[in-house]
Amino acid sequence: MSTTANDQGPDEPVRWLDPAEKEAWTGLVSLVYLLPERLEAPLQRECGMSLFEYLVLSHVSEAPERRLRMSELAFLANGSLSRLSNVVKRFERRGWMERSPDPADGRYTLAALTEDGYAAVVAAAPVHVRAVREAALDRLDAGDRAALARVAEKLRVRPVDLA
């Protein structure tokens, strides 16, 4: 039986990382901390939006009728409801989004993309895709990309909705 960090109690000896584990961990941490900036910088420079803002627009643009519940959108964009609410408020002022009660269940709020919001995400999408390709995908072969997807799934950090 193998032990994991969750199996170890405070009285158990620490299982220090061996060199291969340290290399893997360092690579993962570098991806988590450095890659988002590489994806965000071109969006900021060319479109005046953050990566989070782009993800919000993108997810809504791909939803049926370009509408999503705010709670689902927060999950997909990996942000809190309060952060999302602030972004959507700014988008409403720009004429990019509208909020309304969900007719299927009034306890929920829907975020809907306007035509101007759709135009904004369509304009930003090529900038984002170029950054994704330059920072990551074009540097990997098909096997590397498949391995990355498998690792994300094993770590359960890849929402099914994004597959």
Side-chain angles (χ1 to χ4, degrees), residues 5-42:
N6 292 336
D7 295 333
Q8 295 179 340
D11 297 329
E12 296 291 322
V14 173
R15 291 179 48 230
W16 297 107
L17 303 181
D18 65 31
E21 290 170 327
K22 185 173 182 190
E23 181 71 18
W25 175 244
T26 301
L28 178 60
V29 168
S30 295
L31 283 172
V32 169
Y33 286 110
L34 300 178
L35 194 55
E37 173 55 31
R38 292 179 184 175
L39 299 178
E40 184 163 321

Side-chain angles (χ1 to χ4, degrees), residues 141-158:
D141 64 26
D144 293 334
R145 291 188 299 270
L148 191 57
R150 279 192 311 275
V151 167
E153 188 165 330
K154 279 186 177 185
L155 296 178
R156 295 186 177 141
V157 294
R158 181 178 167 202

Side-chain angles (χ1 to χ4, degrees), residues 54-68 76 113 118 121 125 161-163:
Y54 174 78
L55 291 174
V56 167
L57 292 172
S58 177
H59 287 304
V60 177
S61 77
E62 295 175 350
E65 300 177 31
R66 296 185 192 143
R67 298 181 335 167
L68 270 176
L76 291 172
L113 204 57
Y118 185 70
V121 74
D161 296 344
L162 297 179

